[in-house]
């Protein structure tokens, strides 16, 4: 629901704010006062093309802003958040700024967005019906969706049964097409995979093998220098206990410290540590001797290791970069090879499934079609009753459901749905955009909205002078229907007829002030006495006429009744 609308320097309106509520809201005012600026503002917030002429003369820019309550999980929330905007307490703020220099900027949730995004966001939030509007129900998809909503629970159940069967059938068709169309590509892929897997199988790598081989190769390649270093170190540490070995030197130091022992605990502790060094030298010396004897000098083993590492490196260059990557590639390729190798079996299984799915898809589509055709007649009858009360007694609506003999089932079945209209007896029904004038189309849209009211998915409906060209009893019926429609959605209407305005729950008046230099309009909300004055002005052109005021009160009483 639209909660707040603010206009600044838009056309003749200098500044205006409208606190909008649920129910039926009407906007009235003298001709030229700027009533339609409110609808224009809504159009800008719906992504309409910016017009430089809308910026008020002398102003740098025009600005329109609205606060709109949205239900949790609405597509509008996702669209705004994906664009970088914020939604607070399920309320989205939309804005549009028009520069006097011709630039335009759109805002959603505080973020600057393309104007097209406003259209996407508001498409599920408001439907505007006006004589110059691109009406929602003029679109073929919307006409089909409207009929489907009207068709009721039986159709919903049929559509829910159809959707998964259709989706599976399309998936099977796509997979079959892929298998048949890309057979040569898959054959080439098979050859590449088989060759690669054969290469890997021939080398038969093991996880972590490259690192262990690298260490072993390094030891074999440097075995002589390793053995020589161990021997030299062994001699330097323990030797043959000659005077130059480290062990001899430590033994002498230990003996000297022991001779002086017993007189100073600190020196005794140092003597113990020197003694421990001697023990450590003995242990390290023994290990060096063992290591030296164990060093393997094997040129043949070294050559084998180098060949193995070269083979592993070749796999890593092709399928790596690491050996673990090679093993992962081999695992995935083996699985893919299994998939590709079973293409013939897959095609056969899919063909069997397709044969079973086709008649089921057609059966469910025919069921949906039958329900649509039955609902089409009921919808047309109900709309005809409504438009007859709206000063179009000879007008007729035809809801045409057509199915070609070779129709391929689509996401919504096999039908094309089109609304056709005839304004007068003897005229052949024509598409809505060709068969109705602006005023007739507006009243037809009102009739459709009334009939579809309890199934509408749009929370706000706006009607711009839907009562053009009518008066008297027909005008009363328009007002009554707008009020009835407000039981199911927020309704906002711009009107020049007091019979329509009397039925509103909330009434805004656009008043014009001209000081001879600048024309300025303001928007004010009127209550009981103010409504009587405004209705009297609309009836007689003068709000202080006692007769007009009496008539105004009579209209209000009629509306309340």
């Amino acid at each position: 629901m639209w909660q707040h609308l603010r206009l600044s320097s838009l056309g003749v309106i200098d500044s205006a704010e409208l606190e909008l509520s649920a129910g039926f809201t009407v906007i009235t005012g003298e001709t030229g006062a700027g009533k339609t600026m409110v609808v224009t503002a809504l159009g800008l917030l719906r992504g309409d093309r910016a017009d430089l002429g809308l910026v008020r003369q002398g102003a740098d820019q025009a600005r329109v802003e609205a606060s709109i309550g949205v239900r949790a999980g609405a597509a509008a929330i996702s669209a705004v958040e994906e664009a970088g905007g914020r939604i607070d307490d399920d309320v989205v703020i939309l804005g549009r700024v028009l520069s006097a220099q011709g630039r335009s900027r759109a805002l959603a949730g505080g973020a600057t967005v393309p104007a097209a995004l406003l259209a996407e966001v508001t498409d599920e939030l408001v439907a505007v019906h006006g004589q110059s509007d691109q009406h929602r129900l003029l679109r073929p998809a919307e006409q089909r969706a409207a009929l489907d909503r009207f068709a009721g629970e039986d159709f919903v159940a049929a559509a829910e049964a159809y959707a998964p069967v259709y989706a599976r059938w399309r998936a099977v068709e796509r997979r079959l097409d892929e298998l048949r169309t890309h057979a040569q590509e898959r054959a080439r892929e098979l050859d590449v995979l088989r060759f690669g897997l054969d290469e890997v199988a021939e080398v038969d790598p093991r996880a972590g093998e490259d690192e262990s081989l690298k260490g072993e190769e390094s030891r074999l390649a440097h075995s002589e220098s390793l053995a020589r270093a161990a021997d030299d170190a062994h001699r330097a540490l323990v030797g043959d206990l000659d005077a130059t070995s480290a062990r001899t030197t430590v033994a002498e130091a230990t003996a000297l410290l022991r001779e002086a022992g017993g007189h100073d605990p600190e020196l005794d502790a140092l003597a113990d540590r020197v003694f421990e060094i001697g023990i450590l030298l003995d242990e390290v010396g023994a290990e060096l001797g063992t290591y030296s004897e164990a060093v393997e000098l094997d040129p043949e083993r070294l050559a084998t290791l180098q060949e193995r590492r070269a083979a592993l490196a070749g796999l890593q260059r092709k399928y790596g970069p690491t050996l673990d990557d090679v093993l992962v590639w081999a695992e995935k390729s083996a699985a893919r090879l299994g998939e590709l190798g079973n293409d013939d079996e897959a095609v056969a299984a899919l063909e069997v499934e397709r044969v079973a799915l086709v008649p089921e898809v057609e059966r469910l589509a025919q069921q949906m079609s039958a329900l649509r055709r039955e609902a089409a007649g009921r919808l047309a009858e109900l709309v005809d009753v409504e438009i007859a009360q709206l000063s179009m007694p000879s007008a007729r609506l035809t809801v045409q459901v057509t199915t070609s003999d070779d129709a391929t089932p689509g996401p919504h079945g096999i039908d094309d749905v089109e609304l056709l209209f005839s304004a007068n007896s003897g005229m052949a029904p024509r598409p809505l955009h060709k068969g109705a004038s602006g005023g007739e189309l507006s009243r037809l849209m009102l009739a459709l909205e009334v009939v579809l009211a309890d199934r509408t998915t749009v929370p706000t409906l706006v009607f711009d002078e839907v009562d053009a060209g009518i008066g008297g009893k027909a005008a009363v019926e328009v007002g009554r229907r707008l009020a009835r429609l407000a039981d199911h959605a927020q309704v906002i209407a711009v009107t020049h007829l007091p019979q329509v305005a009397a039925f509103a729950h909330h009434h805004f008046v656009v008043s014009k002030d001209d000081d001879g230099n600048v024309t300025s309009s303001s928007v004010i909300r009127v209550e009981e006495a103010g409504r009587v004055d405004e209705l009297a002005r609309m009836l007689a052109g003068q709000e202080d006429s006692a007769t007009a005021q009496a008539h105004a009160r009579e209209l209000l009483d009629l509306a309340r009744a």
Side-chain angles (χ1 to χ4, degrees):
M1 184 180 77
W2 292 59
Q3 300 174 351
H4 185 86
L5 182 64
R6 179 184 295 114
L7 291 67
S8 176
S9 299
L10 185 69
V12 295
I13 297 180
D14 183 21
S15 178
E17 293 193 29
L18 287 78
E19 294 291 341
L20 300 172
S21 307
F24 176 23
T25 297
V26 71
I27 300 169
T28 64
E30 294 181 12
T31 302
K35 298 187 299 295
T36 57
M37 279 297 121
V38 175
V39 178
T40 299
L42 292 175
L44 291 171
L45 294 174
R46 293 165 58 230
D48 287 356
R49 183 177 178 180
D51 182 357
L52 176 61
L54 293 175
V55 181
R56 181 174 170 78
Q57 186 176 0
D60 293 331
Q61 64 179 24
R63 186 180 186 94
V64 180
E65 186 178 281
S67 303
I68 311 168
V70 292
R71 57 178 174 79
I77 294 178
S78 300
V80 172
E81 290 179 341
E82 288 174 5
R86 292 181 56 188
I87 306 290
D88 295 321
D89 299 325
D90 292 332
V91 174
V92 60
I93 307 297
L94 301 182
R96 194 78 181 272
V97 179
L98 280 61
S99 168
Q101 286 73 42
R103 294 184 298 274
S104 169
R105 187 159 57 100
L107 303 166
T112 299
V113 299
L117 181 71
L118 294 184
E120 177 185 346
V121 169
T122 57
D123 191 53
E124 65 171 335
L125 301 179
V126 62
V128 177
H129 300 304
Q131 295 188 40
S132 60
D133 258 280
Q134 290 291 344
H135 306 312
R136 180 171 49 91
L137 285 174
L138 288 182
R139 300 198 293 264
E142 287 291 345
Q143 294 179 7
R144 176 196 50 73
L147 176 59
D148 291 353
R149 288 198 304 274
F150 177 79
E153 295 180 359
D154 289 345
F155 183 86
V156 171
E160 289 177 348
Y162 174 82
V165 178
Y166 170 79
R168 179 56 192 167
W169 171 64
R170 289 302 303 150
V172 168
E173 291 284 4
R174 285 192 296 269
R175 182 59 178 155
L176 282 170
D177 182 66
E178 177 187 348
L179 290 173
R180 290 165 177 158
T181 303
H182 303 292
Q184 290 185 343
E185 294 178 8
R186 288 195 305 279
R188 287 193 292 270
E189 186 180 357
L190 272 170
D191 289 341
V192 171
L193 291 175
R194 288 194 182 109
F195 179 82
L197 288 171
D198 288 344
E199 274 195 312
V200 174
E202 184 178 353
V203 176
D204 190 22
R206 295 178 298 279
E209 181 184 5
D210 52 341
E211 292 299 322
S212 63
L213 292 179
K214 180 180 178 181
E216 186 180 356
E217 181 192 6
S218 180
R219 288 192 298 275
L220 285 173
H222 301 86
S223 56
E224 292 184 4
S225 60
L226 293 174
R228 185 164 50 253
D231 286 339
D232 292 345
H234 179 270
R235 282 192 297 272
L237 294 178
V238 297
D240 296 324
L241 298 182
D242 56 17
T244 60
S245 69
R247 183 67 185 88
T248 300
T249 303
V250 171
E252 291 175 354
T254 301
L256 291 172
L257 293 172
R258 294 296 190 202
E259 289 178 4
H263 303 293
D264 185 351
E266 185 177 353
L267 185 61
D268 291 344
L270 292 172
D272 292 340
R273 293 171 64 186
V274 173
F275 179 73
E276 291 172 358
I277 291 173
I279 296 174
L280 182 60
L281 286 172
D282 289 338
E283 293 174 353
V284 173
E287 290 179 12
L288 285 170
T290 302
Y291 175 86
S292 177
E293 293 172 0
V295 172
E296 183 181 7
L297 301 176
D298 188 346
E300 292 184 1
R301 173 61 180 167
L302 176 60
T304 300
L305 287 175
Q306 290 173 335
E307 290 178 2
R308 178 68 178 172
R309 290 199 66 209
L312 294 176
L315 293 180
Q316 289 172 247
R317 282 193 300 271
K318 290 184 178 181
Y319 315 109
T322 68
L323 191 59
D324 287 342
D325 293 329
V326 172
L327 296 172
V328 170
W329 178 88
E331 182 180 357
K332 292 182 177 179
S333 297
R336 176 62 175 160
L337 190 66
E339 294 175 4
L340 294 173
N342 294 326
D343 278 358
D344 292 340
E345 293 85 346
V347 168
L350 289 170
E351 283 287 6
V352 171
E353 186 177 5
R354 177 183 176 278
V355 169
L357 284 170
V358 168
E360 183 65 5
V361 169
E362 291 177 348
R363 183 187 70 82
L364 292 170
Q366 289 291 347
Q367 182 181 356
M368 292 168 61
S369 183
L371 291 169
R372 278 196 180 110
R373 292 175 188 278
E374 186 275 332
R378 288 190 290 115
L379 177 60
E381 289 178 4
L382 292 173
V383 171
D384 284 350
V385 171
E386 292 295 327
I387 58 179
Q389 299 297 320
L390 297 175
S391 194
M392 293 190 294
S394 301
R396 293 290 180 268
L397 177 72
T398 301
V399 183
Q400 180 174 279
V401 180
T402 57
T403 306
S404 60
D405 294 337
D406 58 347
T408 300
H412 304 287
I414 53 175
D415 301 320
D416 291 322
V417 176
E418 186 174 19
L419 302 184
L420 305 175
F421 180 73
S422 171
N424 298 293
S425 301
M427 291 181 60
R430 303 184 66 195
L432 294 188
H433 64 283
K434 295 180 179 179
S437 66
E440 291 169 339
L441 188 55
S442 294
R443 278 175 277 166
L444 174 60
M445 290 302 165
L446 173 58
L448 278 166
E449 292 289 8
V450 169
V451 172
L452 297 171
D454 59 349
R455 297 177 176 88
T456 186
T457 59
V458 181
T460 300
L461 302 171
V462 178
F463 295 89
D464 183 15
E465 298 194 354
V466 68
D467 47 22
I470 64 174
K473 182 179 178 181
V476 172
E477 293 301 327
V478 169
R480 180 176 285 118
R481 279 156 177 74
L482 289 172
R484 187 195 311 168
L485 194 56
D487 291 338
H488 304 276
Q490 181 186 38
V491 176
I492 301 171
V494 175
T495 182
H496 65 280
L497 292 181
Q499 296 95 325
V500 173
F503 281 87
H505 305 115
H506 319 287
H507 194 156
F508 289 90
V509 176
V510 181
S511 60
K512 180 172 63 173
D513 179 45
D514 190 343
D515 62 3
N517 296 313
V518 178
T519 300
S520 179
S521 293
S522 60
V523 182
I524 59 172
R525 181 170 183 156
V526 293
E527 300 300 339
E528 187 66 23
R531 292 192 69 186
V532 171
D533 289 342
E534 174 63 8
L535 293 179
R537 181 200 63 77
M538 297 171 73
L539 285 163
Q542 46 187 351
E543 59 269 21
D544 56 354
S545 166
T547 302
Q549 290 212 347
H551 191 183
R553 292 188 181 91
E554 183 181 357
L555 280 176
L556 289 172
D557 291 339
L558 171 66
R560 293 190 182 100

